[in-house]
Amino acid sequence: DDRQMDESLLLDFARNLPTALREDRTPSPAHRLEMLRETFQGMEVSVEFQGALPEESILDMFLGNIGGCIGETSALLLIIGFVFLLYRKVIAARIPLAYIGTVAILAFLFPQGNDRIAWMAAQVFGGGLMLGAIFMATDYVTSPLTKLGQIVYGIGCGIITILIRYFGGYSEGVTYAILCMNACAVLLDKIGRPVKFGAPKKEAAKK
């Protein structure tokens, strides 16, 4: 059975370990090139299958009947948390709506398959998009303060997420998208900055 097989493998490993330690196991340059080639082939395969729809249904992705990291599987519960944060006025809806809306629009306009709606729903409900848009991108310290800056910030996060998901070698682009836009938060605060009431036009332009 499987247990006896595992025990035999462990015994073989224990017997061959001293011999393996005495021998020179440093790979040759040709072997290193072969390992590098196999690694890049694996990366190409992962990118090639990145456009396929998940095996789980959209309803299961929405309810959370799928595997995944803690806190990101159930879109329904994340939406409930989003409504609760809006009700308590902890966050504003501009960044999450701009972020998720951008991903939904781009996924609908550029689907990788015949079913636009299913592809769009998979991009919105799958991965860490909901978690990142609601709880990570709205961080007070690293997100813009101005209203227009927050909208541009969310749109930028959505664009980068789609680019990484479509063309990147990494399966999830939410984290990197938020980090990239966090670096632009100071510049985005200059967009839509309110003009000081009663200030002259020249002074307002300098501001």
Side-chain angles (χ1 to χ4, degrees):
D1 56 354
D2 295 338
R3 183 176 181 181
Q4 292 178 351
M5 184 180 297
D6 294 339
E7 291 178 354
S8 62
L9 291 175
L10 288 175
L11 290 175
D12 292 338
F13 175 76
R15 282 196 298 265
N16 296 327
L17 181 60
T19 305
L21 292 176
R22 288 195 301 269
E23 295 178 356
D24 185 11
R25 295 296 183 178
T26 304
S28 62
H31 189 195
R32 291 176 181 175
L33 290 176
E34 182 65 21
M35 293 170 60
L36 185 63
R37 184 181 65 82
E38 293 177 357
T39 302
F40 278 106
Q41 284 182 349
M43 292 175 59
E44 292 173 359
V45 170
S46 65
V47 174
E48 181 180 355
F49 287 97
Q50 207 167 355
L53 285 171
E55 297 179 357
E56 296 82 1
S57 65
I58 301 300
L59 181 60
D60 288 337
M61 297 177 66
F62 180 74
L63 297 177
N65 296 327
I66 58 175
C69 298
I70 296 176
E72 72 174 20
T73 56
S74 177
L76 175 61
L77 295 180
L78 291 171
I79 293 174
I80 294 175
F82 176 50
V83 173
F84 177 76
L85 292 178
L86 290 179
Y87 173 75
R88 296 299 301 269
K89 297 182 180 180
V90 176
I91 63 174
R94 286 181 289 271
I95 293 177
L97 292 183
Y99 192 170
I100 299 172
T102 301
V103 172
I105 292 173
L106 292 177
F108 181 81
L109 293 178
F110 306 101
Q112 295 188 4
N114 297 326
D115 195 341
R116 292 176 178 267
I117 302 298
W119 177 257
M120 179 188 68
Q123 292 296 316
V124 172
F125 297 147
L129 177 63
M130 287 282 187
L131 179 66
I134 297 171
F135 296 98
M136 296 172 62
T138 55
D139 179 69
Y140 293 153
V141 179
T142 56
S143 61
L145 300 177
T146 60
K147 296 180 180 179
L148 183 57
Q150 291 177 354
I151 296 175
V152 176
Y153 174 84
I155 294 174
C157 287
I159 293 174
I160 297 175
T161 299
I162 286 293
L163 289 177
I164 294 177
R165 287 184 174 183
Y166 276 40
F167 306 107
Y170 190 60
S171 60
E172 180 59 78
V174 173
T175 303
Y176 291 113
I178 295 175
L179 289 176
C180 290
M181 293 307 297
N182 283 344
C184 305
V186 177
L187 298 176
L188 294 177
D189 276 333
K190 297 181 179 180
I191 301 177
R193 179 186 296 180
V195 180
K196 185 177 179 181
F197 181 76
K201 293 184 179 180
K202 293 183 179 180
E203 183 179 349
K206 292 181 181 179
K207 296 291 185 180

